[in-house]
Amino acid sequence: MKGFFKTTLACVLGMIIAGGFLLFLGINLIAGIATFSSEKGEIEKNSILFLDFNGTLGERAVENPIASIMNEDQKNYGLDEILYAIKEAKRNGDIAGIYMQAGNFGGASSASLEEIRSELQSFKESGKFIIAYGDCYSQGLYYLATVADKVILNPQGRIEWHGLASTPIFYKDLLEKIGVEMQIFKVGTYKSAVEPFIATEMSDANREQVAELLSYTWDELLTAISTSRNLPKEKLNEYADRYMDFLPSEEYIACGMADTLLYKDGVLEYLKGLTAVDGDEELNLVTMETMKSHLQTRRTLDEASDKHKIAVYYAYGEIDGATTSFEEGINSNKVIKNLRELREDDDVKAVVLRVNSPGGSAYGSEQIWREVTLLKAAKPVVVSMGDYAASGGYYISCAADCIVANPTTLTGSIGIFGMFPMTEKLMKDKIGLDFDVVKTNLMSDFGTLSRPFSPEEKVVLQNYINNGYDLFLKRCADGRGVAVEDIAKVAEGRVWTGGKAKEIGLVDELGDLDKAIKIAAQKAGLTDYSVKSCPESKTLVEKLVADGNEDYMEIMAREALGGYYNCFKFIRNIDNYDRIQARLPFELNIR
């Protein structure tokens, strides 16, 4: 009886604590929603759009309710919303200029930065001002800042300027220590995604392609900065060789990389002067949250519009990979269903498939390819490539009527591989497990982890990989309207920049999403149309109802690991991936 009362009391106490926590969670959630709603303010005369580049950039914005409730400074920016904010600020006569502030901007790859910079340049050409300020400019944010009329640096600040480097991680020795061996089957000399598991350094072929990628991307960056800052590219390279990251702030002024040194209060006073605001008055800063509300209003109006629609379908992340509710990923079944709905929607006259993916499941890629071909038969399909549209990402793109890429988009990587862990040493030598088998046929126990593949099994698997590669080549050749032999010359798993891909015929046009939309409108014969973004993003409550705690920890891991996050994620979820992959080398770790 005594034990019964103790157990009952513990249960009641647990319910009280849980109830209190849920009440706290609910109150904070309501407060958070109220705060979010209150951001929908009016834009006053002589306002300034404040672009605070501090957080994580993704293809589309991802709300993080758990982080908001816990008062974490976790900002998730969507490229689509940043671009819209700049466009809207350009159109709005009450916005006089842009104030951009450099911070820690994770996930911002070259192609995304290109799109933002292009939009900033268009804004500047409209006659409005752009002022940039930073305590510390990363190379990527400095690339953005140089479009500004004035680049301001904190007197104790610095500008990172050292060039680009790729530092992939190799796991072969680690796997050997724990008794695991990766059995690899692949096609493509440059298909280097498997290298970290079977080697301790880059192959010559991989080193060649990575060197070319870095060289092309660096030259694009140098060209843009050289033009904006009126600094010869040779000088910029000299500065990079000096490793400018830790020099006194006055040195950046002397070198012409920045214009002036000011603390933040000085910057705000300078902005007041540009907008004729008296010293005692506050600046009219328009935040991204305010612009988000305008974006939602615009999307609602577009949905209600009687105009013909062009649908922009966002396909980003790994194809059939392991994701959380805050990481959409590309679920092939979901994408097929969504594309079929767009095909059957008579109001949608053309589709722009926005692809930002390093690839993934070869099987899932083939299924999406099929749906894209059916969609193309019904209405124009134009692909807009983001940071990546490689391997499986290119697979799902190749059937489109037109492919548009940014100059530094990573694409191509036409090749596939299979990777199978063999744990015989781990099981027997490390753990002490022994296995036996009784079977009716030669390969009845095919795929067991307790032994390596037999010669006969290796032949079966390699033939399967070869057939998959041949199919990939055919899909690309048919989509591009060329012979298989021509595609084979630029395949072999090699990764190309968007600029090089256009030269070799894998891409049709260089440009951003806007250019792809214009091409889609032309192909559909439209001059009057609205743009519909899909699929619909999840609401705040929908994400909270999902497994928020696990997702919150996932976000924390991504923030902590930075460029190494994808490597960690792939290793952790390796058993959940399809064994046959059409995937870009994910561990480039460019910095």
Side-chain angles (χ1 to χ4, degrees), residues 359-402:
S361 166
Y363 179 83
S365 301
E366 166 71 10
Q367 308 315 303
I368 296 173
W369 169 88
R370 168 64 179 172
E371 195 58 43
V372 172
T373 60
L374 295 176
L375 179 61
K376 177 183 173 182
K379 57 194 69 176
V381 178
V382 177
V383 162
S384 169
M385 293 181 168
D387 294 323
Y388 308 93
S391 207
Y394 191 80
Y395 202 133
I396 67 176
S397 303
C398 65
D401 294 290
C402 180

Side-chain angles (χ1 to χ4, degrees), residues 130-418:
I130 301 177
I131 302 300
Y133 165 80
D135 299 316
C136 174
Y137 290 96
S138 66
Q139 286 190 143
L141 286 182
Y142 181 69
Y143 166 69
L144 288 186
T146 55
V147 79
D149 299 281
K150 191 174 290 291
V151 177
I152 304 174
L153 180 66
N154 187 288
Q156 300 303 316
R158 59 194 181 91
I159 298 174
E160 295 182 357
W161 191 250
H162 47 254
L164 300 178
S166 174
T167 55
I169 306 172
F170 294 85
Y171 313 104
K172 179 176 179 289
D173 289 345
L174 171 64
L175 293 175
E176 285 183 356
K177 288 180 180 179
I178 63 175
V180 176
E181 177 187 347
M182 285 294 183
Q183 302 174 97
I184 303 298
F185 302 84
K186 68 165 188 166
V187 178
T189 304
Y190 296 90
K191 201 64 184 176
S192 55
V194 300
E195 285 186 1
F197 303 94
I198 58 174
T200 56
E201 61 182 14
M202 301 168 76
S203 65
D204 291 341
N206 190 25
R207 191 176 298 277
E208 175 192 350
Q209 71 174 342
V210 172
E212 184 173 315
L213 293 175
L214 294 182
S215 176
Y216 185 94
T217 301
W218 181 241
D219 189 66
E220 287 285 308
L221 187 148
L222 287 178
T223 300
I225 294 176
S226 173
T227 302
S228 294
R229 298 296 302 173
N230 195 26
L231 288 170
K233 292 164 69 172
E234 294 77 13
K235 275 290 181 187
L236 290 170
N237 268 321
E238 286 179 21
Y239 296 160
D241 287 339
R242 289 174 58 189
Y243 198 86
M244 303 285 286
D245 296 36
F246 301 127
L247 293 181
S249 56
E250 292 80 8
E251 188 70 19
Y252 304 111
I253 305 297
C255 290
M257 295 184 72
D259 295 301
T260 190
L261 303 177
L262 290 174
Y263 287 101
K264 191 173 294 185
D265 61 297
V267 177
L268 297 179
E269 288 300 318
Y270 179 76
L271 291 171
K272 286 182 179 181
L274 291 178
T275 53
V277 174
D278 292 336
D280 294 336
E281 296 180 17
E282 291 188 358
L283 280 168
N284 297 322
L285 292 180
V286 179
T287 65
M288 279 293 297
E289 284 70 26
T290 300
M291 300 308 290
K292 282 181 183 180
S293 70
H294 284 258
L295 173 60
Q296 294 303 323
T297 301
R298 176 66 61 86
R299 283 177 174 169
T300 301
L301 292 173
D302 284 348
E303 287 298 316
S305 173
D306 292 329
K307 297 177 183 178
H308 298 312
K309 292 182 175 65
I310 294 177
V312 177
Y313 187 88
Y314 288 86
Y316 57 99
E318 297 177 3
I319 299 173
D320 291 340
T323 61
T324 71
S325 58
F326 292 127
E327 291 182 310
E328 292 290 333
I330 299 177
N331 181 303
S332 59
N333 291 327
K334 178 183 176 182
V335 172
I336 289 168
K337 178 178 179 292
N338 293 157
L339 294 183
R340 182 171 65 249
E341 291 170 351
L342 292 177
R343 171 162 52 93
E344 296 170 350
D345 188 341
D346 293 335
D347 291 334
V348 174
K349 303 303 179 182
V351 174
V352 174
L353 184 61
R354 172 69 174 186
V355 179
N356 195 344
S357 172
S361 166
Y363 179 83
S365 301
E366 166 71 10
Q367 308 315 303
I368 296 173
W369 169 88
R370 168 64 179 172
E371 195 58 43
V372 172
T373 60
L374 295 176
L375 179 61
K376 177 183 173 182
K379 57 194 69 176
V381 178
V382 177
V383 162
S384 169
M385 293 181 168
D387 294 323
Y388 308 93
S391 207
Y394 191 80
Y395 202 133
I396 67 176
S397 303
C398 65
D401 294 290
C402 180
I403 298 176
V404 182
N406 288 293
T408 59
T409 294
L410 297 186
T411 188
S413 191
I414 301 169
I416 65 174
F417 66 89

Side-chain angles (χ1 to χ4, degrees), residues 110-129:
S110 298
S112 291
L113 293 175
E114 274 185 326
E115 294 206 37
I116 296 173
R117 196 178 194 278
S118 176
E119 208 57 61
L120 288 170
Q121 183 66 43
S122 177
F123 177 91
K124 181 179 177 180
E125 291 170 358
S126 72
K128 300 184 179 186
F129 68 80

